[in-house]
Structures are given as C-alpha cells and as structure tokens.
Amino acid sequence: MRKLKLLFTAAFLLVSFLTFLSSCETKQPAHTFEIGKNDFLLDNEPFHIRCSEMHFARVPKEYWRHRLQMNKALGMNTVSAYMFWNFHERTPGEFTWEGHADVAEFCKMAQEEGLWVILRPGPYVCAEWEMGGLPWWLLKHDDIALRSKDPRFVEASRRYLKEVGKELVPLQVTNGGPILMVQVENEYGFYSDDAEYMGEMRQAILDAGFEVPLFACNPKHTLKNGYRDDLFPVVNFGANPKGAFENLREILPEGPLMCGEFYSGWFDTWGTPHTFGNIEPYLRDMEYMLKEGASFSIYMAHGGTTFGFWAGADRPFKPDCSSYDYGAPINEAGNTTPKFYATRDLVSKYLMPGEAALPELPAPMPFTTFTEVALSEFAPLFENLPEVKLSDEPKNMEYYDQARGSMLYKTTLPAGPVCHLTVGAANDFAWIYMDGEEVGLMDRRKRNFDITIPARNKEVTIEIFVHAMGRINFGKEVHDRKGLNAPIRFVEGDKELKTGAWEVFNIDYNNDWLASLDYIEKTTANEKPGVWKGSFTINKLGDTYLDVSTWGKGVVWVNGKCLGRYWNIGPTQTMYVPAPWLKKGKNEILILDIIGPEKMTISGVDTPVLDQLNPEKDFAGSKRPEVDLNIDGKKALVSSSFNAGGETQTVKFKGSQSGRYFAIEALSSHDGNPYAAIAELDLLDGKGMPISHQNWTIAYVSSEESIGENGVAENAIDGQTFNHWHTAWSSMSPEYPHLLVIDLGEITQLTGFVYVPRMDENAPGRIKDYKIYLGNNLVER
C-alpha cells in the first residue's frame, strides 16, 4: 500500500510539473503600458493607437476571427470592445459569459491576431443598443435615477463590473493579455456633470481588479462636464480634428492626443436616408491625425448587425435599424468597401518605425442565394395569446417583468356617446380595436396619445395592442418604459368613464411561445398582427440577405435565430443572414408582421438594399401635419447673431420665460449661401441645465433635406452632434429666412438655449443672424 501511495504521489508531481512547464510555454510575456507626457508608451516605446471599433455582440462568434483579421488588414493595431451590460445580465444577478457573450474569448482571439484591446464596459455605452446597454429591469424602480449616485443604480453597476473583472482582469497587458486601457462610463459629459458619480464608476472598475490606465471620452463641447483629473480624457468627433484637439488641450495641457470615436459614417434610423459616409473628409481628417501622431479609434470599422431585439432608438424617438452597416470600411457582411482600401492605403504611408507591412486580407466569406418562396401558414396573434394577467388598471411593460415585444390590453366599455381614450404615453405604437374593428392608432413619433372612440349602443370590448421598439439609448430619455404609461383614461366631456377589469397579455416572442403557435392556411395578407411560417432550401452554404421589401413591419427568425426588425418604410429593405445560422437543405423561417405584407414571399439575394425609402408606406402617414403659423407680428424674445465657426454657443434669456413652442428663425448665414443647418439645440431650465427631450416633436420646419442626405429636422433635437438638420439642397434651395418650431409637449420654463453648429470645418449652413420666439400658440394644428 505504501509503495502504491508513493507511486501516486510521484505521478501527481510529474503531472503538476508538466502542467507548469506547459503554462510557462503558452503564457504571453507581460508588457507595460503607460500614458507619457507626449505619447502612449508600450514597453517604454512611443505607441500610436490605431483602433477599430467592432462589437462582438453584433457579429456571429463563428466570424469573430475573420472580422479581426479584416481589422488588422485595414491597418489597425488595436480593437475597441464595447460591452453591453444587458447582454450579459438579462436577469438580475444571473450572468452570461458563454457563446456569443464570451468576451474573454474575443479578447484572446484579438491577441492571437496581433491586436491590442481597449475595453469599454460601461456601465452605460450608448452604441444605438437597447437602452444604451443598461438592463431594462432597472426601470422596475419607478423613481430610479439612471447614471447617477442613486444607490440602486450604483449597487447594480458595481455588481456587474465586479463580474467583468472576474472575466477580464487576467487579460490586462500587465498580466500578459491584450487589454491596454479601460474606459469609464461613456460620454457622460453630455448627460450630466457630476464628477462624484464618475468617481464612483472609476472606483468600481478599480475594485473589480483593473490596474491599467482608465480613461473617459466626451464630445468636444462637453469635455469639462464631470471631468476628473484621475481619468485620462479623450475626445469624440467625426470632423475638424484640429478644433476638437484644441478643446481637449484646455483640460489636457500635456499628454498624447486621442480621438475616442472617429466616425466613419453614421447609423440609420427607420424612415430616414441611409448614411454612406463621405470618404474625402474622412480620409482628410484621418491623415491629419496620422501626421500629428494622434491616436484614434474608427467608430465603426465594422458595424455588423444588431440582431434580435437589441436595436435601440435615438431621441426624442427615432428607432434604429437592425442593420448597423454604418457606412463603415468593412460592411455589414464583413466585406471590403472602397473606404476599406482607401483607409488601408492611407495608413500604409504612416506606419510606425519598425512596424511590419500590413497583412494580406483574409479570404471573403462565400455568399448564397435562393429563389422566391411563398409563406402560406399563419398564426393570428390574438388567437395565440399567452396566459392572461388580471389588473385593476393597466401598467407598463416593466411592471409585468417583460423585457421586450408587445402587449395586449383588454377591457370593456359601457354604451354611450363618442368619448376619448387618452394615455400618458403609448410606447411605442398602439392599435386600438372596438369589438375587433380598428378605431385608431397611437404613434410615439407624433405623440398622438388621444384617440376618438365611436358612440356605442351596447357594452363593447376594447383591445389595445402596443408594440415596442428598442428603448432610447441616449440622453435622459433612457428612462424609457414600454407599453401603456399612466394615466390611461376614457373621457366623455368632463366625465371619466369606468371600464371593466383589465386583462393583460405579455407577448415577448420567446422561443417557447413561438414553438406553441397554432397555424392556419392563409393566402391573403393579414389585417391584424400574426406570425407567418414557411421554409426555403439552400443548396450551398454561404451568407445571404433576405429580401423583405414586400413585408410590412415586424421581426424575422431563421432556424430559431432572430435576425432583427424590418419595416417597409426603409431605408433597409434586406436582412443579413450569416452562413453559420443556415443549413444545407430545408431552413425554417418565421415572420411576425404587425400591419400585413403586400406579398407573402421571401427570397435570398447577394446584395443588400440599405438606401430605399418608402415614405408613402408609413402606416401613420409620412407628411408632417399641416399647421397655421402665428409668428408674424409677434415680438421676438431674442434677436441676435451667432459667432462664426463651429464652437457651441449658449444664449441666456433676460429672466425666466415660459411657453410650449420654441421657434428659431434663421435670417442669414455666415458664408452668404441660402442654407441653414443646426447640429443640436438644447433648452435650459432654471438651473441652467438642459431639459429632457422626451416629449419634444417638430411642430413645423420650413425646409429640410431628406433625399441627398439625412438632414431631417429631428436631427436638431436628437442629442447627436455629428448629424444635423439641413435645409433642402438636392432638388431646391429655398432662400432665407428658415424656420424651425419645436413642440415641447407642455408649457415649460426656460432660461436660455444652447446652439451647436455643424461640426465639419468650413461647413455650409452655419447661421449668422437669427430670432427666437417662445409662446403657447406659435402654431395651430
């Protein structure tokens, strides 16, 4: 027995020794990374970061390596990895780090491909992702203050960041891994200016075990908001790097200059033109940074696809497309574009001393197609409802522990004359039925939350079907609760009507519910929501695009994988399907259609359609409502001139002023041309702070460009400074004056406003002379 024990001991020691030798051979040597007085220093040598933004959650895991190789071939030496908190903690306290969520594997793969990593874990990230990456379940607290020192938010954020540390602290550069730096929060200066909150988030990341340099990013006009000298600052922009870096130098007298997000294009929202991204200014600004030795991160180098229900919405409410092509150098399917080759050629001229030539491109992924097939099985949604919940009054989606999807509210209404259904908000679209017949539509884009209910000679059943898009991902409006928001009232004159009890059905389109659907044969389009089922055959595996141009509005699944949302108004008319989600032979497809298709067919094509708008197909009407203006003869609140150049300008009123409608009348431009443009407008409350855009809509605009570029008026109030409102230029060029009127949704006390001109250098449309009006009856509908 003793000899046997000795034998086992010897064997154990031998195995342990061999394991130790193996680990010594495979472990990467530790490096140093520091922020010097003039440069980033990698192993004490100057290092210029050429970074590509790529979100692993937007790319199938099977394609991560290919896309990383593409980024390396583009000329990048680093990849920036956003982490979406809600992608990893979908239920409080339950974390997912496997499969598509395996961020550690992504970072290791980047290192294997010769790329360093900049980690951006949030907790908030924006990125046109559902709620900016924040988990929906935070909204179960009715009074929670997101992105603040609210203990509930801080505690949840610390728990998440601690788990991030468990996964990624071993992969820091100091441990032989690829992670060079970690970002704290994201563009917080636009949201607020609480430096203590930023300190809380910084400490949470330190407590998670990170020891590499920590940094914060902001647009140039908000760099000082929430600034801390223990977080290295970088600036985000898409134009005029010289001006942006001058702003950065005001808080960073010495140290390397870096653009945290250098925009290669822009994201798409439903109903607005696709943004391709102009190559010439993009290359000009990149070359400026390369010549100056500044570091940068291309946002996006490869956008990919926001699969599933993860696409967010811009403010005040512009839902984002599922395609995140972004006009990036590497397109949605991972293929090259003219911008790719132009970027690669430019970077090749500015390689660092001793840097090897750029690698060859990996082989492109194969494509496949299939001919048109018909779908003839249909599951009416209202006949396949989940278990009912009873309620005295209807609540929002989060109250019922529902993350996404649709809700059906049912009640009874007594006989009586015409009345009105009014709600605080219907987020995001609501169809109202009386005894099965549609009587009205609520559309959050237009904030029409008052519907006429016809007279009734008997008790009737009222059904309210609410379909949610992604939660807003930018600004204070991230507090975005879906479904019906209180108060919900049926009103007859001054009298509020009593209804019967409410039945509530929570439809989140989970896999179990989809598998339980009962289908009928159907050869005509649906008038009420439902799911269509069919199949198509693939003979050769490859990526493909589904042509969904004949369908209405909804969601698509292929072989159980949710591709995302579609909407016939465009600009996207195809949906990307990666080959790993297909199989040779028969493939099942499910299509949820809320409003009904023109034709129940589908085909697979090899070319995406990203830029086809069909405003005439908008179920709520595409034209702005006709209004009567009441501005002529009114005294302007402000008559003045903006300074020339691209700097943000703040105008204070003489005391506090009130009104529901804010109007800016542009009278002339600095360059003498007939165009007007505004990147962003903010209005200031009694404390001089920007107010929420939650209830804002465009009441009137005299001119806007929606053909040659995305220059619609909503861009002036969406919180983004890279895009802008621009008066028409492609088919006509109306002369000054130009008028923009914002409906604030209610009478509001204001003390001033902030005007952000177009960011790009020498841009047309910068306003010189202007007038401001504020009142309650500037427009009449």
Side-chain angles (χ1 to χ4, degrees), residues 6 168 340 347 470:
L6 289 173
L168 296 177
F340 177 95
V347 170

mmCIF file with all atom_site columns, all heavy atoms in Angstrom, residues 6 168 340 347 470:
data_model
loop_
_atom_site.group_PDB
_atom_site.id
_atom_site.type_symbol
_atom_site.label_atom_id
_atom_site.label_alt_id
_atom_site.label_comp_id
_atom_site.label_asym_id
_atom_site.label_entity_id
_atom_site.label_seq_id
_atom_site.pdbx_PDB_ins_code
_atom_site.Cartn_x
_atom_site.Cartn_y
_atom_site.Cartn_z
_atom_site.occupancy
_atom_site.B_iso_or_equiv
_atom_site.pdbx_formal_charge
_atom_site.auth_seq_id
_atom_site.auth_comp_id
_atom_site.auth_asym_id
_atom_site.auth_atom_id
_atom_site.pdbx_PDB_model_num
ATOM 1  N N   . LEU A 1 6   ? 3.240   6.059  -2.792  1.00 0.00 ? 6   LEU A N   1
ATOM 2  C CA  . LEU A 1 6   ? 4.398   6.777  -3.321  1.00 0.00 ? 6   LEU A CA  1
ATOM 3  C C   . LEU A 1 6   ? 4.313   6.911  -4.843  1.00 0.00 ? 6   LEU A C   1
ATOM 4  O O   . LEU A 1 6   ? 4.680   7.930  -5.430  1.00 0.00 ? 6   LEU A O   1
ATOM 5  C CB  . LEU A 1 6   ? 5.688   6.053  -2.924  1.00 0.00 ? 6   LEU A CB  1
ATOM 6  C CG  . LEU A 1 6   ? 6.079   6.140  -1.434  1.00 0.00 ? 6   LEU A CG  1
ATOM 7  C CD1 . LEU A 1 6   ? 7.267   5.240  -1.148  1.00 0.00 ? 6   LEU A CD1 1
ATOM 8  C CD2 . LEU A 1 6   ? 6.419   7.590  -1.082  1.00 0.00 ? 6   LEU A CD2 1
ATOM 9  N N   . LEU A 1 168 ? -12.048 39.439 -17.068 1.00 0.00 ? 168 LEU A N   1
ATOM 10 C CA  . LEU A 1 168 ? -11.081 40.123 -17.924 1.00 0.00 ? 168 LEU A CA  1
ATOM 11 C C   . LEU A 1 168 ? -9.855  40.678 -17.220 1.00 0.00 ? 168 LEU A C   1
ATOM 12 O O   . LEU A 1 168 ? -8.882  41.046 -17.901 1.00 0.00 ? 168 LEU A O   1
ATOM 13 C CB  . LEU A 1 168 ? -11.795 41.258 -18.676 1.00 0.00 ? 168 LEU A CB  1
ATOM 14 C CG  . LEU A 1 168 ? -12.886 40.785 -19.653 1.00 0.00 ? 168 LEU A CG  1
ATOM 15 C CD1 . LEU A 1 168 ? -13.580 41.968 -20.292 1.00 0.00 ? 168 LEU A CD1 1
ATOM 16 C CD2 . LEU A 1 168 ? -12.315 39.865 -20.722 1.00 0.00 ? 168 LEU A CD2 1
ATOM 17 N N   . PHE A 1 340 ? -12.590 50.888 -47.282 1.00 0.00 ? 340 PHE A N   1
ATOM 18 C CA  . PHE A 1 340 ? -11.598 49.973 -46.716 1.00 0.00 ? 340 PHE A CA  1
ATOM 19 C C   . PHE A 1 340 ? -10.252 50.157 -47.395 1.00 0.00 ? 340 PHE A C   1
ATOM 20 O O   . PHE A 1 340 ? -9.220  50.349 -46.740 1.00 0.00 ? 340 PHE A O   1
ATOM 21 C CB  . PHE A 1 340 ? -12.071 48.523 -46.863 1.00 0.00 ? 340 PHE A CB  1
ATOM 22 C CG  . PHE A 1 340 ? -11.083 47.497 -46.364 1.00 0.00 ? 340 PHE A CG  1
ATOM 23 C CD1 . PHE A 1 340 ? -11.174 46.997 -45.081 1.00 0.00 ? 340 PHE A CD1 1
ATOM 24 C CD2 . PHE A 1 340 ? -10.052 47.041 -47.183 1.00 0.00 ? 340 PHE A CD2 1
ATOM 25 C CE1 . PHE A 1 340 ? -10.256 46.062 -44.607 1.00 0.00 ? 340 PHE A CE1 1
ATOM 26 C CE2 . PHE A 1 340 ? -9.132  46.109 -46.730 1.00 0.00 ? 340 PHE A CE2 1
ATOM 27 C CZ  . PHE A 1 340 ? -9.237  45.623 -45.435 1.00 0.00 ? 340 PHE A CZ  1
ATOM 28 N N   . VAL A 1 347 ? -3.140  54.446 -44.243 1.00 0.00 ? 347 VAL A N   1
ATOM 29 C CA  . VAL A 1 347 ? -2.421  54.004 -43.051 1.00 0.00 ? 347 VAL A CA  1
ATOM 30 C C   . VAL A 1 347 ? -1.043  53.451 -43.428 1.00 0.00 ? 347 VAL A C   1
ATOM 31 O O   . VAL A 1 347 ? -0.056  53.645 -42.702 1.00 0.00 ? 347 VAL A O   1
ATOM 32 C CB  . VAL A 1 347 ? -3.243  52.957 -42.273 1.00 0.00 ? 347 VAL A CB  1
ATOM 33 C CG1 . VAL A 1 347 ? -2.412  52.312 -41.163 1.00 0.00 ? 347 VAL A CG1 1
ATOM 34 C CG2 . VAL A 1 347 ? -4.497  53.595 -41.690 1.00 0.00 ? 347 VAL A CG2 1
ATOM 35 N N   . GLY A 1 470 ? -36.973 49.341 -29.721 1.00 0.00 ? 470 GLY A N   1
ATOM 36 C CA  . GLY A 1 470 ? -35.930 49.364 -28.708 1.00 0.00 ? 470 GLY A CA  1
ATOM 37 C C   . GLY A 1 470 ? -36.021 50.598 -27.823 1.00 0.00 ? 470 GLY A C   1
ATOM 38 O O   . GLY A 1 470 ? -36.525 51.651 -28.234 1.00 0.00 ? 470 GLY A O   1
#
